[in-house]
Amino acid sequence: MIKVQDYRPQSFIDFTQPENVKAYQDALKKVRAELVGKHYPVVIDGVAVETAEKIESRNPCDTAELVGTTGKATIQDAQKALDGAWKAFESWKKWDMDARARVLLKAAAILKRRRLEACALMSIEVGKNYAEADVEVAEAIDFLEYYARSAMKYAGFGSSETTWFEGEENGLMSIPLGVGVSISPWNFPCAIYLGMLAAPIVAGNCVIAKPAEDAGLIAGFVTEIMYEAGLPAGVLQFLPGVGKEVGEFLTTHAKTRFVTFTGSRAVGLHINEVAAKVQPGQKWLKRVIMELGGKDAMIVDETADLDVAITAAVQGAFGFNGQKCSAMSRLVVVDEVYDAVVNGFVERTRALKMGTGEENANVTAVVNQMSFDKVKSYLDLAPQEGTVLLGGQAPGEYGGTSGYYVQPTIVGDVKRDARMAQEEIFGPVVTVLRARDWQDALDIANSTEYGLTGGVCSRSRERLEQARAEFEVGNLYFNRKITGAIVGVQPFGGYNMSGTDSKAGGPDYLANFMQLKTVTERW
């Protein structure tokens, strides 16, 4: 068995230190010199495939800038990738668990060395500021190391406990499923992309990875690291393409064994529906693992430390411009402290700096035109559903440069059943809801169809314990921000319309990609 130190999450870089800021800026220069303008082709069975068309990745903070391109896979490419992956599976499934884990550990070591390059690339490609990019790359490293260590408990016969029975040997074997498709999002294009493919791979499966169209370069960058770490050809097929084309083809295909998806509720529900339909020649029920959206609330009651609550609200709402499924998009405040909390929240948010990721601004541009148009439609709705206390505009430019810029926006006195309080906006927009008292606040928090993250700021032990039992979310935080789950520390995933509660970065996550065989021998 592989001998490694106990898992410990990566520490984050302190950007209050001038030397760390300079190192990041140096990495930006290096990435602009070496990676901006690069092309990452489709990779099938370890061979680069040049496609007739390309997918462009543009800087959301300066839409005139082409950051780079990826290949654009066709249905024919997807079929070749699927066939090649099944061929590779025949040998990959026979590797020892510790041998597969070593690939992940080596990839983690390489990514540690290139950490700032990965961060800088995301600042340019998706507009992340320094801290947001750094915590994401740290999370990606954590996924690799955590899953490598988690794999050890599934190794060999008898890895799962059974009850002793006289005269027989009985045991459970964990065996891989086969070939699956991983469809990842643009908002965590390094961490979620890597985590979603690393887990099934270390368990002995082969994966066809389709990254988000808006973040193909960082996906190509870390895919190369996985190849450099020693993955055999065909175990990881890099298949950038259009979701409605290759994604649809793969999720409905009879030879796809599992689908792992992170993205919107609408797309996730469609995948779940089509994957459930058995196709001609299909000999299994597809396993679907998905993490969808959220409409996440933080409650502040009259006993809370209001300064802590306001800080948590700003951090949870506007980190990466609210483009997180875990972002605090609803602030629920009891009437007694409503004015104090809202006034502080508005003033603290007003101080946030808008700009580019490369400038390390607090709030940058949203990722693309579709997101910009969606957020703007809610800004148009805001005066009808509440009082716009801050922001409310989508200027679409900053400093004379065109980009998908939206002002940090706070809308007060929104009703619990309003569209802005029920629908996922996925941008720097927060609705504030006034509750009569603590119980009303908890009822409001539970009034959506989602169940991803939530928070409570309170000094009341009784209320915290009630929330522990009754707040309907997969990740619940007390007296801190509701974003920033750490691998292995806060296993992440929601239920209801927020997904299958698969708990990425948790002790049982790898079981999603394995099946059990009971073997009995009579002596």
Side-chain angles (χ1 to χ4, degrees), residues 213-390:
E213 291 98 306
D214 295 293
L217 264 71
I218 184 62
F221 178 89
V222 294
T223 297
E224 285 191 342
I225 287 176
M226 293 297 291
Y227 295 150
E228 183 182 348
L231 270 185
V235 173
L236 172 58
Q237 311 276 22
F238 181 60
L239 205 76
V242 176
K244 291 181 180 179
E245 297 172 5
V246 296
E248 184 79 3
F249 175 79
L250 290 168
T251 55
T252 59
H253 201 289
K255 292 190 71 176
T256 296
R257 183 64 182 81
F258 61 90
V259 179
T260 179
F261 170 80
T262 299
S264 73
R265 173 188 180 277
V267 176
L269 291 179
H270 174 73
I271 290 173
N272 193 54
E273 179 182 357
V274 299
K277 184 177 181 180
V278 177
Q279 303 294 329
Q282 184 175 321
K283 59 185 293 186
W284 46 64
L285 299 177
K286 288 176 188 166
R287 196 171 291 183
V288 177
I289 303 97
M290 57 176 59
E291 200 260 282
L292 307 179
K295 191 64 182 175
D296 311 303
M298 188 178 79
I299 298 171
V300 183
D301 76 3
E302 74 279 7
T303 74
D305 181 322
L306 299 191
D307 186 63
V308 168
I310 291 165
T311 298
V314 175
Q315 292 173 337
F318 300 110
F320 193 40
N321 322 315
Q323 296 177 120
K324 301 178 183 181
C325 53
S326 58
M328 189 208 76
S329 57
R330 293 182 297 153
L331 179 60
V332 183
V333 188
V334 299
D335 184 69
E336 187 175 329
V337 290
Y338 182 91
D339 290 339
V341 171
V342 171
N343 290 339
F345 182 42
V346 169
E347 288 310 305
R348 204 78 67 85
T349 303
R350 196 189 305 276
L352 297 178
K353 175 189 174 185
M354 180 178 282
T356 71
E358 292 176 85
E359 295 171 337
N360 199 26
N362 303 116
V363 179
T364 67
V366 298
V367 74
N368 58 25
Q369 186 70 51
M370 182 182 297
S371 292
F372 180 79
D373 291 343
K374 178 183 178 182
V375 176
K376 190 174 183 304
S377 71
Y378 284 100
L379 297 184
D380 294 340
L381 178 65
Q384 303 169 41
E385 295 201 333
T387 303
V388 178
L389 304 174
L390 184 71

Side-chain angles (χ1 to χ4, degrees), residues 6-12 135 138-139 141-143 145-147 149-150 468 474-478 480-481 483-493 503-509:
D6 292 340
Y7 166 74
R8 291 290 185 272
Q10 293 292 299
S11 58
F12 304 141
V135 298
E139 183 181 18
I141 296 167
D142 288 344
F143 274 134
E145 297 199 335
Y146 183 80
Y147 291 146
R149 290 164 174 79
S150 297
R468 191 187 301 269
N475 285 70
L476 180 60
Y477 303 92
F478 294 154
R480 53 151 284 177
K481 67 176 181 174
T483 60
I486 297 174
V487 173
V489 179
Q490 295 121 359
F492 185 82
K503 285 293 183 269
D508 301 316
Y509 187 69

Side-chain angles (χ1 to χ4, degrees), residues 202-213:
V202 77
N205 303 283
C206 295
V207 172
I208 302 167
K210 195 209 83 64
E213 291 98 306

Side-chain angles (χ1 to χ4, degrees), residues 38-100:
K38 187 169 180 175
H39 174 70
Y40 286 97
V42 168
V43 180
I44 299 174
D45 295 342
V47 177
V49 176
E50 293 299 339
T51 54
E53 297 183 66
K54 296 178 181 179
I55 297 175
E56 293 186 345
S57 179
R58 292 196 169 271
N59 184 343
C61 298
D62 180 2
T63 54
E65 180 181 25
L66 177 64
V67 181
T69 58
T70 67
K72 185 179 179 182
T74 64
I75 300 300
Q76 291 73 27
D77 295 324
Q79 182 64 61
K80 291 176 182 177
L82 192 58
D83 293 340
W86 275 109
K87 182 178 180 181
F89 176 67
E90 290 306 310
S91 59
W92 182 243
K93 69 181 180 180
K94 297 174 185 176
W95 280 46
D96 290 338
M97 190 70 84
D98 59 350
R100 293 196 293 257

